[in-house]
Amino acid sequence: MLVHCRAVARGAKTPLLVGDLPFGTYECSSNQAVDTTVRNLKEGQMDAIKLEGGSPSRIVAAKAIVEAGIAVIGHVGLTPQAISVLGGFRPQGRNVASAVKVVETTLALQEAGCFAVVLECVPAPVAATATTALQIPTIGIGAGPYCSGQVLVYHDLLGMLQHPHHAKVTPKFCKQYARVGDVINKALLEYKEDVMNGSFPDAQHSPYKISETDANGFLNELQKLGFDKAVSAASEAVQKMVTKSTK
């Protein structure tokens, strides 16, 4: 995650940069959470962090991080790092108890000092309730239009990945604005075909030339060294490149 954070920080100078705490780096204790977050800011060059979940231990961890002087975004609803507990990528807040729990959790995260909360895969009325009840912004992903802001995974919205498995797991809530993956696949297949049939690289894409004088001298040196097969190969390559470049 630090590698990804640093890459983003090198390119994005204006936006607020938020690093996502990886699974296994903040669950054990508040001290672990604070230590991980400090690395995220110092080594990853982030401005803030996001952590998933609203269990009592996560609320305590969020509060500890805030008290350490670090800005925190909470994340409730579907929390991808905990899908084994949730029974898979399943929406949350779809019955009375679950909906109330989502709202109460967002309020607890606000009380812990979070400056925003991500709401993922919850019904729009639940998100609207949380947004209205909170004094901090909500960021929706699959949570309907009643959030303060929206986020999507850009691979999904650009259609970058066209593998059959990815097509199955692309979220229902994602609007696909392009199918970049189709273009990528087409280009890669054309490249493979050109390499297989020998049409690439051609003379146009073999730009580094050797003069006729140097080529002959090179061939003579190869003969002296006893590389007879190499002489034939090099001579053939010279002739082919000259022939192709003059066509």
Side-chain angles (χ1 to χ4, degrees), residues 50 73-75 117-121 138-144 147-154 156-157 171 173-175 177:
K50 182 181 75 66
I73 295 180
H75 183 157
V117 177
V118 172
L119 299 173
E120 181 167 358
C121 293
T138 57
I139 307 298
I141 176 168
C147 294
S148 311
Q150 298 291 336
V151 63
L152 286 175
V153 175
Y154 80 91
D156 293 334
L157 74 90
F173 57 76
C174 181
K175 180 178 179 181
Y177 288 83

mmCIF file with all atom_site columns, all heavy atoms in Angstrom, residues 50 73-75 117-121 138-144 147-154 156-157 171 173-175 177:
data_model
loop_
_atom_site.group_PDB
_atom_site.id
_atom_site.type_symbol
_atom_site.label_atom_id
_atom_site.label_alt_id
_atom_site.label_comp_id
_atom_site.label_asym_id
_atom_site.label_entity_id
_atom_site.label_seq_id
_atom_site.pdbx_PDB_ins_code
_atom_site.Cartn_x
_atom_site.Cartn_y
_atom_site.Cartn_z
_atom_site.occupancy
_atom_site.B_iso_or_equiv
_atom_site.pdbx_formal_charge
_atom_site.auth_seq_id
_atom_site.auth_comp_id
_atom_site.auth_asym_id
_atom_site.auth_atom_id
_atom_site.pdbx_PDB_model_num
ATOM 1   N N   . LYS A 1 50  ? -8.051  6.049  5.819   1.00 0.00 ? 50  LYS A N   1
ATOM 2   C CA  . LYS A 1 50  ? -9.396  5.481  5.933   1.00 0.00 ? 50  LYS A CA  1
ATOM 3   C C   . LYS A 1 50  ? -9.277  4.095  6.540   1.00 0.00 ? 50  LYS A C   1
ATOM 4   O O   . LYS A 1 50  ? -8.357  3.344  6.199   1.00 0.00 ? 50  LYS A O   1
ATOM 5   C CB  . LYS A 1 50  ? -10.064 5.375  4.561   1.00 0.00 ? 50  LYS A CB  1
ATOM 6   C CG  . LYS A 1 50  ? -11.503 4.823  4.623   1.00 0.00 ? 50  LYS A CG  1
ATOM 7   C CD  . LYS A 1 50  ? -12.122 4.713  3.256   1.00 0.00 ? 50  LYS A CD  1
ATOM 8   C CE  . LYS A 1 50  ? -11.598 3.543  2.462   1.00 0.00 ? 50  LYS A CE  1
ATOM 9   N NZ  . LYS A 1 50  ? -11.991 2.231  3.071   1.00 0.00 ? 50  LYS A NZ  1
ATOM 10  N N   . ILE A 1 73  ? -11.014 8.937  7.906   1.00 0.00 ? 73  ILE A N   1
ATOM 11  C CA  . ILE A 1 73  ? -12.311 8.679  7.278   1.00 0.00 ? 73  ILE A CA  1
ATOM 12  C C   . ILE A 1 73  ? -12.768 7.292  7.705   1.00 0.00 ? 73  ILE A C   1
ATOM 13  O O   . ILE A 1 73  ? -11.998 6.324  7.639   1.00 0.00 ? 73  ILE A O   1
ATOM 14  C CB  . ILE A 1 73  ? -12.223 8.737  5.737   1.00 0.00 ? 73  ILE A CB  1
ATOM 15  C CG1 . ILE A 1 73  ? -11.865 10.148 5.270   1.00 0.00 ? 73  ILE A CG1 1
ATOM 16  C CG2 . ILE A 1 73  ? -13.541 8.301  5.101   1.00 0.00 ? 73  ILE A CG2 1
ATOM 17  C CD1 . ILE A 1 73  ? -11.768 10.277 3.756   1.00 0.00 ? 73  ILE A CD1 1
ATOM 18  N N   . GLY A 1 74  ? -14.021 7.182  8.148   1.00 0.00 ? 74  GLY A N   1
ATOM 19  C CA  . GLY A 1 74  ? -14.597 5.893  8.489   1.00 0.00 ? 74  GLY A CA  1
ATOM 20  C C   . GLY A 1 74  ? -15.196 5.224  7.258   1.00 0.00 ? 74  GLY A C   1
ATOM 21  O O   . GLY A 1 74  ? -15.316 5.834  6.195   1.00 0.00 ? 74  GLY A O   1
ATOM 22  N N   . HIS A 1 75  ? -15.597 3.964  7.401   1.00 0.00 ? 75  HIS A N   1
ATOM 23  C CA  . HIS A 1 75  ? -16.140 3.206  6.268   1.00 0.00 ? 75  HIS A CA  1
ATOM 24  C C   . HIS A 1 75  ? -17.111 2.169  6.827   1.00 0.00 ? 75  HIS A C   1
ATOM 25  O O   . HIS A 1 75  ? -16.704 1.253  7.539   1.00 0.00 ? 75  HIS A O   1
ATOM 26  C CB  . HIS A 1 75  ? -14.990 2.534  5.513   1.00 0.00 ? 75  HIS A CB  1
ATOM 27  C CG  . HIS A 1 75  ? -15.409 1.793  4.283   1.00 0.00 ? 75  HIS A CG  1
ATOM 28  N ND1 . HIS A 1 75  ? -14.551 1.526  3.248   1.00 0.00 ? 75  HIS A ND1 1
ATOM 29  C CD2 . HIS A 1 75  ? -16.596 1.251  3.909   1.00 0.00 ? 75  HIS A CD2 1
ATOM 30  C CE1 . HIS A 1 75  ? -15.181 0.864  2.297   1.00 0.00 ? 75  HIS A CE1 1
ATOM 31  N NE2 . HIS A 1 75  ? -16.432 0.666  2.692   1.00 0.00 ? 75  HIS A NE2 1
ATOM 32  N N   . VAL A 1 117 ? -17.277 9.891  6.290   1.00 0.00 ? 117 VAL A N   1
ATOM 33  C CA  . VAL A 1 117 ? -17.580 8.466  6.361   1.00 0.00 ? 117 VAL A CA  1
ATOM 34  C C   . VAL A 1 117 ? -17.964 7.964  4.971   1.00 0.00 ? 117 VAL A C   1
ATOM 35  O O   . VAL A 1 117 ? -18.773 8.594  4.284   1.00 0.00 ? 117 VAL A O   1
ATOM 36  C CB  . VAL A 1 117 ? -18.744 8.170  7.336   1.00 0.00 ? 117 VAL A CB  1
ATOM 37  C CG1 . VAL A 1 117 ? -19.083 6.678  7.329   1.00 0.00 ? 117 VAL A CG1 1
ATOM 38  C CG2 . VAL A 1 117 ? -18.400 8.604  8.748   1.00 0.00 ? 117 VAL A CG2 1
ATOM 39  N N   . VAL A 1 118 ? -17.364 6.837  4.577   1.00 0.00 ? 118 VAL A N   1
ATOM 40  C CA  . VAL A 1 118 ? -17.756 6.169  3.334   1.00 0.00 ? 118 VAL A CA  1
ATOM 41  C C   . VAL A 1 118 ? -18.932 5.254  3.627   1.00 0.00 ? 118 VAL A C   1
ATOM 42  O O   . VAL A 1 118 ? -18.911 4.489  4.597   1.00 0.00 ? 118 VAL A O   1
ATOM 43  C CB  . VAL A 1 118 ? -16.581 5.344  2.758   1.00 0.00 ? 118 VAL A CB  1
ATOM 44  C CG1 . VAL A 1 118 ? -17.057 4.490  1.580   1.00 0.00 ? 118 VAL A CG1 1
ATOM 45  C CG2 . VAL A 1 118 ? -15.452 6.259  2.330   1.00 0.00 ? 118 VAL A CG2 1
ATOM 46  N N   . LEU A 1 119 ? -19.972 5.331  2.791   1.00 0.00 ? 119 LEU A N   1
ATOM 47  C CA  . LEU A 1 119 ? -21.126 4.438  2.881   1.00 0.00 ? 119 LEU A CA  1
ATOM 48  C C   . LEU A 1 119 ? -21.132 3.556  1.643   1.00 0.00 ? 119 LEU A C   1
ATOM 49  O O   . LEU A 1 119 ? -21.294 4.044  0.526   1.00 0.00 ? 119 LEU A O   1
ATOM 50  C CB  . LEU A 1 119 ? -22.430 5.243  2.940   1.00 0.00 ? 119 LEU A CB  1
ATOM 51  C CG  . LEU A 1 119 ? -22.603 6.193  4.129   1.00 0.00 ? 119 LEU A CG  1
ATOM 52  C CD1 . LEU A 1 119 ? -23.860 7.032  3.957   1.00 0.00 ? 119 LEU A CD1 1
ATOM 53  C CD2 . LEU A 1 119 ? -22.673 5.400  5.428   1.00 0.00 ? 119 LEU A CD2 1
ATOM 54  N N   . GLU A 1 120 ? -20.915 2.257  1.839   1.00 0.00 ? 120 GLU A N   1
ATOM 55  C CA  . GLU A 1 120 ? -20.822 1.358  0.686   1.00 0.00 ? 120 GLU A CA  1
ATOM 56  C C   . GLU A 1 120 ? -21.951 0.337  0.671   1.00 0.00 ? 120 GLU A C   1
ATOM 57  O O   . GLU A 1 120 ? -22.201 -0.360 1.655   1.00 0.00 ? 120 GLU A O   1
ATOM 58  C CB  . GLU A 1 120 ? -19.469 0.626  0.677   1.00 0.00 ? 120 GLU A CB  1
ATOM 59  C CG  . GLU A 1 120 ? -19.309 -0.307 -0.514  1.00 0.00 ? 120 GLU A CG  1
ATOM 60  C CD  . GLU A 1 120 ? -17.885 -0.790 -0.730  1.00 0.00 ? 120 GLU A CD  1
ATOM 61  O OE1 . GLU A 1 120 ? -16.980 -0.365 0.023   1.00 0.00 ? 120 GLU A OE1 1
ATOM 62  O OE2 . GLU A 1 120 ? -17.669 -1.592 -1.656  1.00 0.00 ? 120 GLU A OE2 1
ATOM 63  N N   . CYS A 1 121 ? -22.629 0.274  -0.465  1.00 0.00 ? 121 CYS A N   1
ATOM 64  C CA  . CYS A 1 121 ? -23.659 -0.743 -0.719  1.00 0.00 ? 121 CYS A CA  1
ATOM 65  C C   . CYS A 1 121 ? -24.736 -0.765 0.361   1.00 0.00 ? 121 CYS A C   1
ATOM 66  O O   . CYS A 1 121 ? -24.982 -1.796 1.007   1.00 0.00 ? 121 CYS A O   1
ATOM 67  C CB  . CYS A 1 121 ? -23.025 -2.127 -0.865  1.00 0.00 ? 121 CYS A CB  1
ATOM 68  S SG  . CYS A 1 121 ? -22.004 -2.300 -2.333  1.00 0.00 ? 121 CYS A SG  1
ATOM 69  N N   . THR A 1 138 ? -20.635 12.501 3.864   1.00 0.00 ? 138 THR A N   1
ATOM 70  C CA  . THR A 1 138 ? -20.684 11.083 3.525   1.00 0.00 ? 138 THR A CA  1
ATOM 71  C C   . THR A 1 138 ? -20.229 10.921 2.075   1.00 0.00 ? 138 THR A C   1
ATOM 72  O O   . THR A 1 138 ? -20.555 11.738 1.219   1.00 0.00 ? 138 THR A O   1
ATOM 73  C CB  . THR A 1 138 ? -22.102 10.513 3.673   1.00 0.00 ? 138 THR A CB  1
ATOM 74  O OG1 . THR A 1 138 ? -23.007 11.272 2.843   1.00 0.00 ? 138 THR A OG1 1
ATOM 75  C CG2 . THR A 1 138 ? -22.570 10.573 5.109   1.00 0.00 ? 138 THR A CG2 1
ATOM 76  N N   . ILE A 1 139 ? -19.477 9.858  1.824   1.00 0.00 ? 139 ILE A N   1
ATOM 77  C CA  . ILE A 1 139 ? -19.026 9.538  0.475   1.00 0.00 ? 139 ILE A CA  1
ATOM 78  C C   . ILE A 1 139 ? -19.662 8.218  0.085   1.00 0.00 ? 139 ILE A C   1
ATOM 79  O O   . ILE A 1 139 ? -19.416 7.191  0.718   1.00 0.00 ? 139 ILE A O   1
ATOM 80  C CB  . ILE A 1 139 ? -17.490 9.422  0.389   1.00 0.00 ? 139 ILE A CB  1
ATOM 81  C CG1 . ILE A 1 139 ? -16.816 10.670 0.963   1.00 0.00 ? 139 ILE A CG1 1
ATOM 82  C CG2 . ILE A 1 139 ? -17.055 9.183  -1.046  1.00 0.00 ? 139 ILE A CG2 1
ATOM 83  C CD1 . ILE A 1 139 ? -17.142 11.954 0.239   1.00 0.00 ? 139 ILE A CD1 1
ATOM 84  N N   . GLY A 1 140 ? -20.496 8.239  -0.949  1.00 0.00 ? 140 GLY A N   1
ATOM 85  C CA  . GLY A 1 140 ? -21.241 7.049  -1.326  1.00 0.00 ? 140 GLY A CA  1
ATOM 86  C C   . GLY A 1 140 ? -20.563 6.233  -2.406  1.00 0.00 ? 140 GLY A C   1
ATOM 87  O O   . GLY A 1 140 ? -19.957 6.770  -3.326  1.00 0.00 ? 140 GLY A O   1
ATOM 88  N N   . ILE A 1 141 ? -20.670 4.907  -2.273  1.00 0.00 ? 141 ILE A N   1
ATOM 89  C CA  . ILE A 1 141 ? -20.292 3.986  -3.344  1.00 0.00 ? 141 ILE A CA  1
ATOM 90  C C   . ILE A 1 141 ? -21.343 2.880  -3.330  1.00 0.00 ? 141 ILE A C   1
ATOM 91  O O   . ILE A 1 141 ? -21.384 2.050  -2.422  1.00 0.00 ? 141 ILE A O   1
ATOM 92  C CB  . ILE A 1 141 ? -18.859 3.449  -3.187  1.00 0.00 ? 141 ILE A CB  1
ATOM 93  C CG1 . ILE A 1 141 ? -18.538 2.415  -4.272  1.00 0.00 ? 141 ILE A CG1 1
ATOM 94  C CG2 . ILE A 1 141 ? -18.582 2.925  -1.792  1.00 0.00 ? 141 ILE A CG2 1
ATOM 95  C CD1 . ILE A 1 141 ? -17.081 2.040  -4.391  1.00 0.00 ? 141 ILE A CD1 1
ATOM 96  N N   . GLY A 1 142 ? -22.244 2.942  -4.296  1.00 0.00 ? 142 GLY A N   1
ATOM 97  C CA  . GLY A 1 142 ? -23.370 2.016  -4.302  1.00 0.00 ? 142 GLY A CA  1
ATOM 98  C C   . GLY A 1 142 ? -24.357 2.329  -3.198  1.00 0.00 ? 142 GLY A C   1
ATOM 99  O O   . GLY A 1 142 ? -25.033 1.439  -2.693  1.00 0.00 ? 142 GLY A O   1
ATOM 100 N N   . ALA A 1 143 ? -24.459 3.605  -2.828  1.00 0.00 ? 143 ALA A N   1
ATOM 101 C CA  . ALA A 1 143 ? -25.335 4.015  -1.732  1.00 0.00 ? 143 ALA A CA  1
ATOM 102 C C   . ALA A 1 143 ? -26.367 5.047  -2.189  1.00 0.00 ? 143 ALA A C   1
ATOM 103 O O   . ALA A 1 143 ? -26.960 5.733  -1.354  1.00 0.00 ? 143 ALA A O   1
ATOM 104 C CB  . ALA A 1 143 ? -24.503 4.566  -0.575  1.00 0.00 ? 143 ALA A CB  1
ATOM 105 N N   . GLY A 1 144 ? -26.558 5.176  -3.488  1.00 0.00 ? 144 GLY A N   1
ATOM 106 C CA  . GLY A 1 144 ? -27.572 6.102  -3.983  1.00 0.00 ? 144 GLY A CA  1
ATOM 107 C C   . GLY A 1 144 ? -27.084 7.538  -4.054  1.00 0.00 ? 144 GLY A C   1
ATOM 108 O O   . GLY A 1 144 ? -25.930 7.844  -3.737  1.00 0.00 ? 144 GLY A O   1
ATOM 109 N N   . CYS A 1 147 ? -25.795 11.225 -0.871  1.00 0.00 ? 147 CYS A N   1
ATOM 110 C CA  . CYS A 1 147 ? -24.562 11.364 -0.107  1.00 0.00 ? 147 CYS A CA  1
ATOM 111 C C   . CYS A 1 147 ? -23.918 12.696 -0.466  1.00 0.00 ? 147 CYS A C   1
ATOM 112 O O   . CYS A 1 147 ? -24.261 13.326 -1.465  1.00 0.00 ? 147 CYS A O   1
ATOM 113 C CB  . CYS A 1 147 ? -23.607 10.209 -0.417  1.00 0.00 ? 147 CYS A CB  1
ATOM 114 S SG  . CYS A 1 147 ? -24.205 8.590  0.140   1.00 0.00 ? 147 CYS A SG  1
ATOM 115 N N   . SER A 1 148 ? -22.962 13.108 0.350   1.00 0.00 ? 148 SER A N   1
ATOM 116 C CA  . SER A 1 148 ? -22.276 14.390 0.104   1.00 0.00 ? 148 SER A CA  1
ATOM 117 C C   . SER A 1 148 ? -21.356 14.311 -1.114  1.00 0.00 ? 148 SER A C   1
ATOM 118 O O   . SER A 1 148 ? -21.106 15.316 -1.788  1.00 0.00 ? 148 SER A O   1
ATOM 119 C CB  . SER A 1 148 ? -21.453 14.786 1.332   1.00 0.00 ? 148 SER A CB  1
ATOM 120 O OG  . SER A 1 148 ? -22.219 14.687 2.509   1.00 0.00 ? 148 SER A OG  1
ATOM 121 N N   . GLY A 1 149 ? -20.826 13.131 -1.389  1.00 0.00 ? 149 GLY A N   1
ATOM 122 C CA  . GLY A 1 149 ? -19.930 12.930 -2.527  1.00 0.00 ? 149 GLY A CA  1
ATOM 123 C C   . GLY A 1 149 ? -20.019 11.498 -2.996  1.00 0.00 ? 149 GLY A C   1
ATOM 124 O O   . GLY A 1 149 ? -20.675 10.662 -2.366  1.00 0.00 ? 149 GLY A O   1
ATOM 125 N N   . GLN A 1 150 ? -19.359 11.203 -4.116  1.00 0.00 ? 150 GLN A N   1
ATOM 126 C CA  . GLN A 1 150 ? -19.419 9.870  -4.704  1.00 0.00 ? 150 GLN A CA  1
ATOM 127 C C   . GLN A 1 150 ? -18.019 9.381  -5.054  1.00 0.00 ? 150 GLN A C   1
ATOM 128 O O   . GLN A 1 150 ? -17.115 10.171 -5.344  1.00 0.00 ? 150 GLN A O   1
ATOM 129 C CB  . GLN A 1 150 ? -20.271 9.883  -5.979  1.00 0.00 ? 150 GLN A CB  1
ATOM 130 C CG  . GLN A 1 150 ? -21.728 10.264 -5.769  1.00 0.00 ? 150 GLN A CG  1
ATOM 131 C CD  . GLN A 1 150 ? -22.520 9.211  -5.008  1.00 0.00 ? 150 GLN A CD  1
ATOM 132 O OE1 . GLN A 1 150 ? -22.171 8.025  -5.003  1.00 0.00 ? 150 GLN A OE1 1
ATOM 133 N NE2 . GLN A 1 150 ? -23.597 9.644  -4.345  1.00 0.00 ? 150 GLN A NE2 1
ATOM 134 N N   . VAL A 1 151 ? -17.842 8.063  -5.073  1.00 0.00 ? 151 VAL A N   1
ATOM 135 C CA  . VAL A 1 151 ? -16.578 7.457  -5.482  1.00 0.00 ? 151 VAL A CA  1
ATOM 136 C C   . VAL A 1 151 ? -16.888 6.158  -6.216  1.00 0.00 ? 151 VAL A C   1
ATOM 137 O O   . VAL A 1 151 ? -17.861 5.467  -5.900  1.00 0.00 ? 151 VAL A O   1
ATOM 138 C CB  . VAL A 1 151 ? -15.660 7.194  -4.265  1.00 0.00 ? 151 VAL A CB  1
ATOM 139 C CG1 . VAL A 1 151 ? -16.277 6.203  -3.309  1.00 0.00 ? 151 VAL A CG1 1
ATOM 140 C CG2 . VAL A 1 151 ? -14.289 6.708  -4.710  1.00 0.00 ? 151 VAL A CG2 1
ATOM 141 N N   . LEU A 1 152 ? -16.083 5.856  -7.245  1.00 0.00 ? 152 LEU A N   1
ATOM 142 C CA  . LEU A 1 152 ? -16.130 4.569  -7.926  1.00 0.00 ? 152 LEU A CA  1
ATOM 143 C C   . LEU A 1 152 ? -14.697 4.101  -8.169  1.00 0.00 ? 152 LEU A C   1
ATOM 144 O O   . LEU A 1 152 ? -13.778 4.920  -8.273  1.00 0.00 ? 152 LEU A O   1
ATOM 145 C CB  . LEU A 1 152 ? -16.849 4.674  -9.279  1.00 0.00 ? 152 LEU A CB  1
ATOM 146 C CG  . LEU A 1 152 ? -18.370 4.829  -9.274  1.00 0.00 ? 152 LEU A CG  1
ATOM 147 C CD1 . LEU A 1 152 ? -18.874 5.039  -10.702 1.00 0.00 ? 152 LEU A CD1 1
ATOM 148 C CD2 . LEU A 1 152 ? -19.043 3.607  -8.657  1.00 0.00 ? 152 LEU A CD2 1
ATOM 149 N N   . VAL A 1 153 ? -14.521 2.814  -8.267  1.00 0.00 ? 153 VAL A N   1
ATOM 150 C CA  . VAL A 1 153 ? -13.218 2.266  -8.660  1.00 0.00 ? 153 VAL A CA  1
ATOM 151 C C   . VAL A 1 153 ? -13.035 2.550  -10.144 1.00 0.00 ? 153 VAL A C   1
ATOM 152 O O   . VAL A 1 153 ? -13.868 2.174  -10.960 1.00 0.00 ? 153 VAL A O   1
ATOM 153 C CB  . VAL A 1 153 ? -13.156 0.749  -8.390  1.00 0.00 ? 153 VAL A CB  1
ATOM 154 C CG1 . VAL A 1 153 ? -11.860 0.152  -8.919  1.00 0.00 ? 153 VAL A CG1 1
ATOM 155 C CG2 . VAL A 1 153 ? -13.313 0.476  -6.898  1.00 0.00 ? 153 VAL A CG2 1
ATOM 156 N N   . TYR A 1 154 ? -11.941 3.223  -10.502 1.00 0.00 ? 154 TYR A N   1
ATOM 157 C CA  . TYR A 1 154 ? -11.834 3.697  -11.883 1.00 0.00 ? 154 TYR A CA  1
ATOM 158 C C   . TYR A 1 154 ? -11.663 2.557  -12.879 1.00 0.00 ? 154 TYR A C   1
ATOM 159 O O   . TYR A 1 154 ? -12.046 2.683  -14.041 1.00 0.00 ? 154 TYR A O   1
ATOM 160 C CB  . TYR A 1 154 ? -10.750 4.763  -12.025 1.00 0.00 ? 154 TYR A CB  1
ATOM 161 C CG  . TYR A 1 154 ? -9.320  4.297  -12.109 1.00 0.00 ? 154 TYR A CG  1
ATOM 162 C CD1 . TYR A 1 154 ? -8.736  4.041  -13.337 1.00 0.00 ? 154 TYR A CD1 1
ATOM 163 C CD2 . TYR A 1 154 ? -8.543  4.166  -10.967 1.00 0.00 ? 154 TYR A CD2 1
ATOM 164 C CE1 . TYR A 1 154 ? -7.405  3.649  -13.426 1.00 0.00 ? 154 TYR A CE1 1
ATOM 165 C CE2 . TYR A 1 154 ? -7.219  3.788  -11.051 1.00 0.00 ? 154 TYR A CE2 1
ATOM 166 C CZ  . TYR A 1 154 ? -6.652  3.518  -12.272 1.00 0.00 ? 154 TYR A CZ  1
ATOM 167 O OH  . TYR A 1 154 ? -5.340  3.127  -12.346 1.00 0.00 ? 154 TYR A OH  1
ATOM 168 N N   . ASP A 1 156 ? -13.405 -0.070 -12.850 1.00 0.00 ? 156 ASP A N   1
ATOM 169 C CA  . ASP A 1 156 ? -14.785 -0.445 -13.149 1.00 0.00 ? 156 ASP A CA  1
ATOM 170 C C   . ASP A 1 156 ? -15.454 0.553  -14.081 1.00 0.00 ? 156 ASP A C   1
ATOM 171 O O   . ASP A 1 156 ? -16.086 0.182  -15.066 1.00 0.00 ? 156 ASP A O   1
ATOM 172 C CB  . ASP A 1 156 ? -15.600 -0.555 -11.845 1.00 0.00 ? 156 ASP A CB  1
ATOM 173 C CG  . ASP A 1 156 ? -15.146 -1.703 -10.965 1.00 0.00 ? 156 ASP A CG  1
ATOM 174 O OD1 . ASP A 1 156 ? -14.590 -2.673 -11.511 1.00 0.00 ? 156 ASP A OD1 1
ATOM 175 O OD2 . ASP A 1 156 ? -15.348 -1.632 -9.740  1.00 0.00 ? 156 ASP A OD2 1
ATOM 176 N N   . LEU A 1 157 ? -15.328 1.844  -13.768 1.00 0.00 ? 157 LEU A N   1
ATOM 177 C CA  . LEU A 1 157 ? -16.047 2.834  -14.562 1.00 0.00 ? 157 LEU A CA  1
ATOM 178 C C   . LEU A 1 157 ? -15.444 2.992  -15.954 1.00 0.00 ? 157 LEU A C   1
ATOM 179 O O   . LEU A 1 157 ? -16.129 3.397  -16.901 1.00 0.00 ? 157 LEU A O   1
ATOM 180 C CB  . LEU A 1 157 ? -16.130 4.176  -13.835 1.00 0.00 ? 157 LEU A CB  1
ATOM 181 C CG  . LEU A 1 157 ? -14.900 5.086  -13.732 1.00 0.00 ? 157 LEU A CG  1
ATOM 182 C CD1 . LEU A 1 157 ? -14.841 6.041  -14.917 1.00 0.00 ? 157 LEU A CD1 1
ATOM 183 C CD2 . LEU A 1 157 ? -14.946 5.894  -12.441 1.00 0.00 ? 157 LEU A CD2 1
ATOM 184 N N   . PRO A 1 171 ? -19.425 -4.354 -9.965  1.00 0.00 ? 171 PRO A N   1
ATOM 185 C CA  . PRO A 1 171 ? -20.595 -4.019 -9.142  1.00 0.00 ? 171 PRO A CA  1
ATOM 186 C C   . PRO A 1 171 ? -21.789 -3.551 -9.967  1.00 0.00 ? 171 PRO A C   1
ATOM 187 O O   . PRO A 1 171 ? -21.635 -2.872 -10.982 1.00 0.00 ? 171 PRO A O   1
ATOM 188 C CB  . PRO A 1 171 ? -20.070 -2.881 -8.251  1.00 0.00 ? 171 PRO A CB  1
ATOM 189 C CG  . PRO A 1 171 ? -18.592 -3.039 -8.255  1.00 0.00 ? 171 PRO A CG  1
ATOM 190 C CD  . PRO A 1 171 ? -18.228 -3.577 -9.599  1.00 0.00 ? 171 PRO A CD  1
ATOM 191 N N   . PHE A 1 173 ? -23.826 -1.347 -9.142  1.00 0.00 ? 173 PHE A N   1
ATOM 192 C CA  . PHE A 1 173 ? -24.034 0.100  -9.005  1.00 0.00 ? 173 PHE A CA  1
ATOM 193 C C   . PHE A 1 173 ? -23.109 0.920  -9.889  1.00 0.00 ? 173 PHE A C   1
ATOM 194 O O   . PHE A 1 173 ? -23.239 2.137  -9.966  1.00 0.00 ? 173 PHE A O   1
ATOM 195 C CB  . PHE A 1 173 ? -23.855 0.544  -7.543  1.00 0.00 ? 173 PHE A CB  1
ATOM 196 C CG  . PHE A 1 173 ? -22.507 0.199  -6.948  1.00 0.00 ? 173 PHE A CG  1
ATOM 197 C CD1 . PHE A 1 173 ? -21.372 0.928  -7.275  1.00 0.00 ? 173 PHE A CD1 1
ATOM 198 C CD2 . PHE A 1 173 ? -22.385 -0.858 -6.070  1.00 0.00 ? 173 PHE A CD2 1
ATOM 199 C CE1 . PHE A 1 173 ? -20.148 0.614  -6.727  1.00 0.00 ? 173 PHE A CE1 1
ATOM 200 C CE2 . PHE A 1 173 ? -21.160 -1.178 -5.508  1.00 0.00 ? 173 PHE A CE2 1
ATOM 201 C CZ  . PHE A 1 173 ? -20.035 -0.433 -5.839  1.00 0.00 ? 173 PHE A CZ  1
ATOM 202 N N   . CYS A 1 174 ? -22.160 0.261  -10.547 1.00 0.00 ? 174 CYS A N   1
ATOM 203 C CA  . CYS A 1 174 ? -21.168 0.991  -11.319 1.00 0.00 ? 174 CYS A CA  1
ATOM 204 C C   . CYS A 1 174 ? -21.682 1.331  -12.717 1.00 0.00 ? 174 CYS A C   1
ATOM 205 O O   . CYS A 1 174 ? -22.095 0.452  -13.461 1.00 0.00 ? 174 CYS A O   1
ATOM 206 C CB  . CYS A 1 174 ? -19.880 0.189  -11.434 1.00 0.00 ? 174 CYS A CB  1
ATOM 207 S SG  . CYS A 1 174 ? -18.588 1.062  -12.351 1.00 0.00 ? 174 CYS A SG  1
ATOM 208 N N   . LYS A 1 175 ? -21.666 2.599  -13.063 1.00 0.00 ? 175 LYS A N   1
ATOM 209 C CA  . LYS A 1 175 ? -21.945 3.030  -14.430 1.00 0.00 ? 175 LYS A CA  1
ATOM 210 C C   . LYS A 1 175 ? -20.639 2.984  -15.208 1.00 0.00 ? 175 LYS A C   1
ATOM 211 O O   . LYS A 1 175 ? -19.652 3.589  -14.814 1.00 0.00 ? 175 LYS A O   1
ATOM 212 C CB  . LYS A 1 175 ? -22.517 4.445  -14.457 1.00 0.00 ? 175 LYS A CB  1
ATOM 213 C CG  . LYS A 1 175 ? -22.817 4.952  -15.864 1.00 0.00 ? 175 LYS A CG  1
ATOM 214 C CD  . LYS A 1 175 ? -23.422 6.344  -15.835 1.00 0.00 ? 175 LYS A CD  1
ATOM 215 C CE  . LYS A 1 175 ? -23.699 6.850  -17.249 1.00 0.00 ? 175 LYS A CE  1
ATOM 216 N NZ  . LYS A 1 175 ? -24.278 8.221  -17.238 1.00 0.00 ? 175 LYS A NZ  1
ATOM 217 N N   . TYR A 1 177 ? -18.428 4.087  -18.048 1.00 0.00 ? 177 TYR A N   1
ATOM 218 C CA  . TYR A 1 177 ? -18.321 5.237  -18.940 1.00 0.00 ? 177 TYR A CA  1
ATOM 219 C C   . TYR A 1 177 ? -17.488 4.940  -20.184 1.00 0.00 ? 177 TYR A C   1
ATOM 220 O O   . TYR A 1 177 ? -17.483 5.732  -21.127 1.00 0.00 ? 177 TYR A O   1
ATOM 221 C CB  . TYR A 1 177 ? -17.710 6.424  -18.192 1.00 0.00 ? 177 TYR A CB  1
ATOM 222 C CG  . TYR A 1 177 ? -18.671 7.037  -17.186 1.00 0.00 ? 177 TYR A CG  1
ATOM 223 C CD1 . TYR A 1 177 ? -18.812 6.486  -15.914 1.00 0.00 ? 177 TYR A CD1 1
ATOM 224 C CD2 . TYR A 1 177 ? -19.454 8.135  -17.512 1.00 0.00 ? 177 TYR A CD2 1
ATOM 225 C CE1 . TYR A 1 177 ? -19.691 7.034  -14.992 1.00 0.00 ? 177 TYR A CE1 1
ATOM 226 C CE2 . TYR A 1 177 ? -20.338 8.690  -16.601 1.00 0.00 ? 177 TYR A CE2 1
ATOM 227 C CZ  . TYR A 1 177 ? -20.453 8.134  -15.342 1.00 0.00 ? 177 TYR A CZ  1
ATOM 228 O OH  . TYR A 1 177 ? -21.334 8.675  -14.433 1.00 0.00 ? 177 TYR A OH  1
#
